[in-house]
Amino acid sequence: MIPDSKVPHAIAFSAPHKQAADIGLAVLREGGSAVDAMIAAAAAITVLYPHMNSLAGDGFWLIHKPGAAPRAIDACGCAAQLASIDWFHSKGFKQIPSRGALATVTMGGTLAGWQKARDIAAESSTQLPLSRLLAPAIQLARDGVVVTHSLAAASRKVQAELAEQAEYQRVFMPNGRPLVEGETLTNPDLATTLNTLATQGLDAAYRGELAAHIATQLEQLGSPLRLSDLQHYCAQEVKPLSVQTRFGECFNLPAPTQGVASLLILAIYDRLFKPEWDEAARVHGLIEATKLAFLVRDREVADPRRLSERWNVLLDDAHIDQLAAVITECALPWPQVAEPGDTVWMGCVDSSGTMVSFIQSIYWEFGSGVVVPGTGLVWNNRGVGFSLEAGHRNALAPGYKPFHTLNPAFALLNDGRRISYGTMGGEGQPQTQAALLSRYLYDGRALDDAISRGRWLLGRTWGDNNHDLKMEQDLVDLLGNNLRERGHALKAVPARSEIMGHAGAVVSLGDGNAIAASDPRSDGVGVVGNVVATMQERAQ
C-alpha cells in the first residue's frame, strides 16, 4: 500500500551519532528531501566520527521513491593511474602499505556520490542549497565536537602506527597524546574545506582549486594520486542486486561490494527457515548461510570488469537451492581470511515517503592516516584491498576498484512496509544485516530489540584481526551450549561490544507512519517526527 501522496509521510532518521541524526531530522522537518537530509548528516558525521569516515572516503547509496524501482549509486574510488603492481614492486613492496602516503592508492568518491544523489533527487523535488546542508558540519568543525568513547579508543589504538604522520599528529593529537573522551576536538581546516564545497559546489573537490591543492599535497607526500585522477573521477548509478524472500524483495549493491553475500545469506536462510525452530537453530542457520555466502563472495567479487560468467546466476533460485542443500545440523569448518572495515551507515525517510540507505567509509580507523595539509581531510586506505599478485581477482591495476565491504541494504515487503537498514563492521556487515532483518521479520521482534539483542560475528571486523566466531556474552549464556553441540567454536566477547558494529534501521510502515532505531553499541539514535513545512509550502 502506498500512502496518499497529499498527506505528508512521517519523517525518520537513524545514525550512529545522535547529533548526526538530529541534523538529518532537522533538514527533514524543514521539508528537505531524504537526499538533502542524508548529505547534511553525512557531512556532520565526518566531523563527529573522523576515525570512521571522511570526505576523502567512499560511499554507496540506495534511494527508493514510492512506486518506483530502487536506485543505487556506486561512489567508491578507483586506483590512481600511476598505481600498478610494477610501481609498488619497484619500491620494494610485496603488498600495499596499510598506512602512510603509499596507502593513498584510491580516490575518495563519496562527495561525487553526494552530487549524483542530488542529481537523482532533483528529478522529482527541489533541493536545499549546499550552504544550508553543510552549515551544521562547518560549525561542528570550527567550534569543536565532544570526543566520544569510540573516537578516543580509536585514537589510542593508532597512536604508535600513525606516529610518523605529521598532519595527523597536528590535527588529531593536538595535545601530543591520544584524544580523551569528553574533551573537545576542532578541525578548522575541515571547516574551511566544507565552506569551499558549500560555495563552489561538490565538484570543487575534483576539478577546482581545492582539487589542485589536494593533488599537490598528496604528490609531495609520495602518493601515486595526481590531479588527473581527481579530474576524471565520477560516481556511477548502478543497477542494484535483489533477491526474493517470503516477506518481500531485498536489495543491495553489486560488485565491487559484498552486497551479493548479504543477499545470499538472506535467501539461503529463507529456504531453510522453519517456524518451529528455536533461537539456537535460527542462529545456526544464519551462521551456516554466512559461511556459504562468504565462500561465494571470496571467489567471485571483484572490479565489475573482472566478474566471471557465473556472476549473473549467483542469485538464481537453482544456485540458492544448491547452497541451502549443503547446510546440516553440524557446523561447517571455518575460518577463512576475512576483511575489516571502519564505516558509518545511516538511513532516513522524508515527507514524500522517499527512503535512503547510505554508507560512508575510510576503511581502517583513520584510513591511511594521511591528513591532507590545509584541508583537514583524512584520506582512505581502501587500496589495501588490492593484491600485488598478478592474476589475483583483486590485482591492482590503474583505474580499477578494490573489493568493498560496504553495502547499504533495503527491503520492499509484501505487506507494504519498506526498510532501510545497514551497519558498519567490515566482515560483520552482511551478518548483522541478516540478524537484524531475520529478528524483525522472521522472529517478530520489535525493531530496537532486533538491533540491540546479542549478536555474533564470523571472521574479522574493524579493530580486530581474528577470524573466529565471536559471540556476545549474553547470547553465549542463552545459546552457547546448544551451538557448541552443533560444532561451533565460540569466543565470548562482552555484551554490546562495539566490534559487532553499529547497526540501524528506518521502517516505513506503509500507512504513512515510520519507526527508526539505532544501535546501543554506538552513540546514535533513531528519531521520528513530522514535517513542519514542505518545500512547496515554504515557496508559497
Side-chain angles (χ1 to χ4, degrees):
M1 178 177 65
I2 299 174
D4 185 350
S5 61
K6 296 180 181 179
V7 179
H9 193 289
I11 55 176
F13 205 103
S14 175
H17 195 291
K18 182 180 184 302
Q19 283 179 271
D22 289 342
I23 286 167
L25 193 72
V27 171
L28 294 173
R29 285 188 188 279
E30 294 176 22
S33 71
V35 167
D36 282 337
M38 191 56 66
I39 289 173
I45 207 160
T46 66
V47 187
L48 294 160
Y49 263 16
H51 56 310
M52 291 191 175
N53 74 129
S54 164
L55 302 179
D58 298 308
F60 294 91
W61 294 70
L62 279 169
I63 303 170
H64 183 250
K65 182 180 178 181
R71 299 173 71 172
I73 297 170
D74 171 341
C76 68
C78 52
Q81 289 302 306
L82 287 177
S84 68
I85 292 174
D86 289 343
W87 191 81
F88 276 96
H89 283 175
S90 71
K91 296 180 179 297
F93 292 97
K94 294 184 178 180
Q95 62 183 33
I96 295 173
S98 57
R99 305 290 194 180
L102 293 178
T104 62
V105 173
T106 60
M107 287 294 312
T110 198
L111 288 171
W114 294 6
Q115 185 57 56
K116 180 65 72 172
R118 282 176 67 81
D119 293 343
I120 290 174
E123 295 173 7
S124 57
S125 64
T126 302
Q127 300 299 289
L128 289 172
L130 282 172
S131 57
R132 163 63 186 90
L133 303 183
L134 302 188
I138 292 170
Q139 182 175 355
L140 288 171
R142 183 184 63 239
D143 297 345
V145 300
V146 177
V147 174
T148 62
H149 175 80
S150 176
L151 175 52
S155 177
R156 293 192 300 272
K157 181 185 175 185
V158 303
Q159 179 182 9
E161 200 173 7
L162 300 183
E164 302 303 315
Q165 301 303 318
E167 191 69 0
Y168 170 85
Q169 295 289 315
R170 187 185 71 80
V171 176
F172 292 107
M173 293 183 62
N175 297 312
R177 55 159 174 74
L179 298 171
V180 175
E181 182 178 359
E183 69 182 355
T184 299
L185 174 69
T186 62
N187 192 341
D189 287 346
L190 183 56
T192 300
T193 297
L194 285 161
N195 187 65
T196 298
L197 296 172
T199 56
Q200 298 181 15
L202 299 174
D203 197 55
Y206 302 96
R207 283 162 277 275
E209 291 182 6
L210 174 60
H213 174 80
I214 290 171
T216 298
Q217 294 298 321
L218 287 174
E219 182 176 1
Q220 289 177 357
L221 290 169
S223 169
L225 287 166
R226 298 293 184 267
L227 179 58
S228 59
D229 295 310
L230 277 67
Q231 291 173 331
H232 289 103
Y233 180 78
C234 60
Q236 299 172 304
E237 183 173 356
V238 295
K239 183 179 179 180
L241 301 178
S242 67
V243 71
Q244 194 72 37
T245 71
R246 69 190 67 192
F247 289 101
E249 193 170 9
C250 299
F251 297 84
N252 215 298
L253 269 289
T257 81
Q258 63 176 338
V260 67
S262 295
L263 294 178
L264 279 174
I265 295 170
L266 294 172
I268 295 168
Y269 184 74
D270 190 68
R271 292 290 200 282
L272 298 171
F273 178 77
K274 294 179 175 60
E276 63 269 23
W277 277 357
D278 61 15
E279 188 171 9
R282 295 173 190 226
V283 171
H284 170 76
L286 288 167
I287 293 171
E288 296 305 288
T290 298
K291 293 175 181 177
L292 295 173
F294 280 4
L295 290 173
V296 172
R297 176 202 67 186
D298 294 346
R299 185 182 70 239
E300 301 289 346
V301 177
D303 182 282
R305 288 164 286 186
R306 288 177 171 155
L307 299 177
S308 75
E309 69 281 358
R310 297 181 296 270
W311 181 260
N312 290 330
V313 302
L314 295 181
L315 294 173
D316 285 0
D317 288 341
H319 184 239
I320 294 167
D321 289 340
Q322 179 184 358
L323 294 173
V326 175
I327 296 176
T328 70
E329 290 295 313
C330 298
L332 293 166
W334 206 255
Q336 299 288 328
V337 175
E339 296 290 339
D342 246 353
T343 308
V344 295
W345 174 89
M346 297 186 290
C348 66
V349 60
D350 66 21
S351 61
S352 74
T354 296
M355 300 189 75
V356 165
S357 183
F358 170 78
I359 202 161
Q360 187 166 263
S361 173
I362 46 174
Y363 203 25
W364 293 13
E365 300 101 327
F366 293 103
S368 64
V370 171
V371 179
V372 181
T375 70
L377 296 174
V378 181
W379 210 267
N380 73 85
N381 67 336
R382 186 61 65 170
V384 301
F386 283 120
S387 170
L388 295 184
E389 178 184 341
H392 189 280
R393 77 180 193 286
N394 274 304
L396 175 65
Y400 275 66
K401 295 179 177 182
F403 167 76
H404 266 265
T405 52
L406 308 182
N407 64 118
F410 183 77
L412 284 172
L413 304 187
N414 300 330
D415 62 7
R417 285 178 294 173
R418 296 174 297 141
I419 310 176
S420 171
Y421 65 104
T423 182
M424 57 80 82
E427 194 84 347
Q429 289 185 36
Q431 302 177 65
T432 296
Q433 287 181 16
L436 187 165
L437 202 66
S438 67
R439 286 168 168 174
Y440 181 61
L441 297 180
Y442 295 79
D443 302 354
R445 296 186 181 276
L447 187 63
D448 56 353
D449 185 39
I451 292 172
S452 64
R453 192 169 177 81
R455 292 207 293 263
W456 63 91
L457 190 142
L458 182 71
R460 187 170 60 164
T461 185
W462 79 285
D464 179 85
N465 289 315
N466 296 313
H467 307 288
D468 48 17
L469 176 58
K470 291 168 278 292
M471 185 169 287
E472 291 179 315
Q473 186 65 58
D474 52 345
L475 199 59
V476 172
D477 294 341
L478 285 172
L479 311 178
N481 290 338
N482 188 304
L483 292 171
R484 290 187 181 102
E485 288 173 0
R486 296 171 187 262
H488 295 285
L490 305 179
K491 177 185 177 181
V493 298
R496 296 190 173 178
S497 172
E498 194 177 31
I499 67 168
M500 292 294 166
H502 297 166
V506 174
V507 181
S508 168
L509 297 175
D511 60 359
N513 291 307
I515 55 175
S518 185
D519 207 320
R521 299 165 183 84
S522 73
D523 300 293
V525 293
V527 287
V528 179
N530 291 289
V531 68
V532 175
T534 65
M535 294 283 286
Q536 291 80 1
E537 289 170 340
R538 286 176 177 272
Q540 293 174 354

